[in-house]
Amino acid sequence: MTTDPYPALTTQAVREAVRSKNDEIGGTPFTERSRDGLIVFNYAYAHPGLFTGPHATVLRECRGLIFDETEPNAPLSRPYQKFFNLGEVPEEEPHFRDKPHVILEKLDGSMIRPLLRDNRIIFGTKAGPTDVSQQVDAWAASRPDLIEWARFWVDSGYTPIFEWCSRKMRIVIDYPIDRLVLTGIRNTRTGAYVPYREMREAALGGGVDVVQVFDFDTGDRAAFEKYVRGLQDTEGFVVRFHDGYMLKIKADAYLKVHKTLDLLRSNRTMIRLIVGGELDDAKSRLRPIDVQSVNDFETAFWAGVAESARAAHRIAQEALTDGMTLPVFAQTVATKHPLQAFLFKAYKGGLGLKDLETEIRSHLVRLVVQQNRNDIEALAHCWNHVSWETYRSKAGLAANPDA
């Protein structure tokens, strides 16, 4: 099975496909969101089994597919359909030797497409207009030729598809200079793709940055795959066949870092790694700028634990100095304080500052690692509410790179 020809799309047809698959799965892997007059269809997670069955080709289009609420019979914007990694769906993959194709650089950014709203061009991600696409709006504001170029293609019934590569939205590969790179142009109604050569000519004629093509010998698929897997400092490549069917293949080094960065996008996971003593292994797979941010946060986290211990010790010592009895201490101070367990240990047990800090560390190991508590944020008073969010943003790591 392939996705050529591409399905005709209406709001009703997409809703029916989404409802049918969600009912079959018993969940909501496919979503519909309405905002500012736009209807956006997406998938929340992806595995090949979601994109099978009688509605398969329609479901594969739910990758940022947008309709205008007033025009339900044709999409407003039609970015890439869902496509898979090489070897992920082997039963439908074309043989490289049998079908013409091009090899394109796999850029490590955020998918962006222009949208015509209120008679002007704005940009949107898979989710439509977002904070990330506003970065592109601001960047493109001083590039009227780009806006005019995008407006021409949108008015002509096409969806230009770009990749926003920027340190403001960095995933793995570092792009020190902001780039908006054209990677595809798609007929919004039929789904057909403009051939690469024509797309490149149109881009260069309009002064638009365009994705690089590579001349690889793919006759020996195993050798080509081995070559790509061994690459450094690149995400990989997209194999685009002339009928629009696509495959992606990524370098092992990129996947290794990406997997680690996925962990580091979660405050909860970062706390688990630190408390469990597993952060050093993660650091070994990171870029220098990320290692620095992780080190800074780790230092701040343990400093926060020390500060919490000092606070508990100080409160207990003040109560003892004032001659406060245990019942009074319990009623007026300890039971109202988030560190109450440690206040009692300091008051009744006479724990010194270092012992109290060790007690908090042991408490965290017990709850976070051994008991695998999910409500880690509820323990934030133990590390003085230091948050990874601040340090993550310094490294340019996005909480959601697909936003």
Side-chain angles (χ1 to χ4, degrees):
M1 181 188 70
T2 69
T3 53
D4 181 36
Y6 299 103
L9 298 174
T10 65
T11 305
Q12 181 178 350
V14 179
R15 281 178 175 156
E16 171 57 26
V18 165
R19 182 199 60 77
S20 177
K21 180 58 71 171
N22 284 349
D23 288 349
E24 176 189 329
I25 297 296
T28 54
F30 292 94
T31 62
E32 175 185 341
R33 297 285 185 268
S34 296
R35 178 183 173 187
D36 298 330
L38 300 177
I39 302 172
V40 186
F41 292 97
N42 261 311
Y43 54 80
Y45 58 90
H47 61 75
L50 288 178
F51 303 94
T52 59
H55 301 293
T57 57
V58 175
L59 293 172
R60 293 189 186 197
E61 299 286 343
C62 294
R63 191 173 180 265
L65 179 68
I66 292 183
F67 288 85
D68 188 309
E69 288 182 343
T70 65
E71 297 288 342
N73 293 321
L76 174 72
S77 178
R78 188 172 187 166
Y80 290 119
Q81 78 277 15
K82 169 63 182 173
F83 58 100
F84 298 99
N85 294 292
L86 183 66
E88 195 173 5
V89 191
E91 65 274 13
E92 70 172 50
E93 291 179 4
H95 292 291
F96 287 3
R97 291 177 176 172
D98 295 344
K99 299 184 72 174
H101 58 272
V102 293
I103 309 294
L104 304 177
E105 179 183 9
K106 180 78 171 68
L107 294 161
D108 187 35
S110 298
M111 188 280 290
I112 294 288
R113 46 24 201 312
L115 303 168
L116 184 61
R117 305 300 293 160
D118 299 324
N119 199 35
R120 68 185 183 94
I121 289 291
I122 63 171
F123 291 91
T125 65
K126 279 172 57 180
T130 65
D131 290 345
V132 175
S133 65
Q134 287 177 5
Q135 296 174 11
V136 183
D137 290 333
W139 180 86
S142 61
R143 295 165 172 83
D145 290 348
L146 170 65
I147 300 295
E148 183 180 351
W149 186 93
R151 176 68 184 259
F152 167 80
W153 282 98
V154 170
D155 285 346
S156 300
Y158 289 83
T159 299
I161 309 167
F162 296 91
E163 195 84 353
W164 174 237
C165 304
S166 170
R167 283 182 172 173
K168 300 182 186 72
M169 191 59 194
R170 186 164 58 88
I171 302 174
V172 174
I173 307 301
D174 184 29
Y175 296 99
I177 299 175
D178 290 347
R179 297 177 64 198
L180 188 66
V181 185
L182 181 70
T183 62
I185 303 177
R186 197 174 188 199
N187 188 295
T188 307
R189 182 179 60 82
T190 69
Y193 287 89
V194 173
Y196 176 80
R197 181 176 295 179
E198 295 178 27
M199 179 186 78
R200 176 180 170 80
E201 291 175 355
L204 296 179
V208 174
D209 198 354
V210 64
V211 65
Q212 185 176 356
V213 66
F214 290 83
D215 184 18
F216 289 123
D217 180 6
T218 56
D220 185 339
R221 170 175 154 162
F224 171 64
E225 185 172 0
K226 182 179 180 180
Y227 167 77
V228 178
R229 299 290 187 198
L231 292 174
Q232 302 287 328
D233 300 321
T234 188
E235 180 175 353
F237 299 98
V238 173
V239 183
R240 182 181 298 169
F241 294 88
H242 285 9
D243 63 2
Y245 189 85
M246 290 182 286
L247 296 165
K248 53 188 173 180
I249 177 170
K250 299 183 180 183
D252 287 344
Y254 173 88
L255 292 171
K256 193 174 183 180
V257 174
H258 194 281
K259 183 177 181 180
T260 303
L261 292 180
D262 279 346
L263 294 177
L264 300 191
R265 289 190 172 92
S266 164
N267 189 63
R268 179 183 302 173
T269 305
M270 275 294 294
I271 301 300
R272 288 195 193 281
L273 291 173
I274 291 175
V275 174
E278 300 176 3
L279 197 56
D280 282 349
D281 181 56
K283 289 179 190 177
S284 69
R285 302 192 292 269
L286 292 176
R287 303 156 297 190
I289 187 174
D290 299 319
V291 172
Q292 184 60 55
S293 293
V294 169
N295 285 340
D296 290 346
F297 174 66
E298 185 178 20
T299 299
F301 176 86
W302 290 122
V305 170
E307 178 56 35
S308 294
R310 282 193 294 271
H313 186 264
R314 182 176 61 253
I315 292 170
Q317 289 301 308
E318 289 174 354
L320 289 169
T321 300
D322 292 344
M324 191 178 294
T325 63
L326 180 59
V328 173
F329 178 72
Q331 183 177 3
T332 62
V333 180
T335 55
K336 299 179 180 180
H337 201 284
L339 293 169
Q340 60 175 284
F342 308 107
L343 293 177
F344 280 121
K345 289 179 182 294
Y347 182 95
K348 294 193 301 180
L351 291 183
L353 184 57
K354 287 297 180 184
D355 290 336
L356 199 56
E357 186 176 338
T358 299
E359 189 69 24
I360 295 178
R361 287 174 177 252
S362 299
H363 177 73
L364 289 174
V365 170
R366 185 166 57 254
L367 295 183
V368 174
V369 180
Q370 297 172 357
Q371 296 182 19
N372 197 28
R373 283 270 294 267
N374 286 324
D375 58 338
I376 289 178
E377 288 79 4
L379 305 172
H381 54 274
C382 292
W383 54 86
N384 200 32
H385 298 278
V386 176
S387 174
W388 167 237
E389 306 300 320
T390 302
Y391 295 84
R392 184 190 66 201
S393 63
K394 290 178 182 177
L397 291 170
N400 178 11
D402 289 330

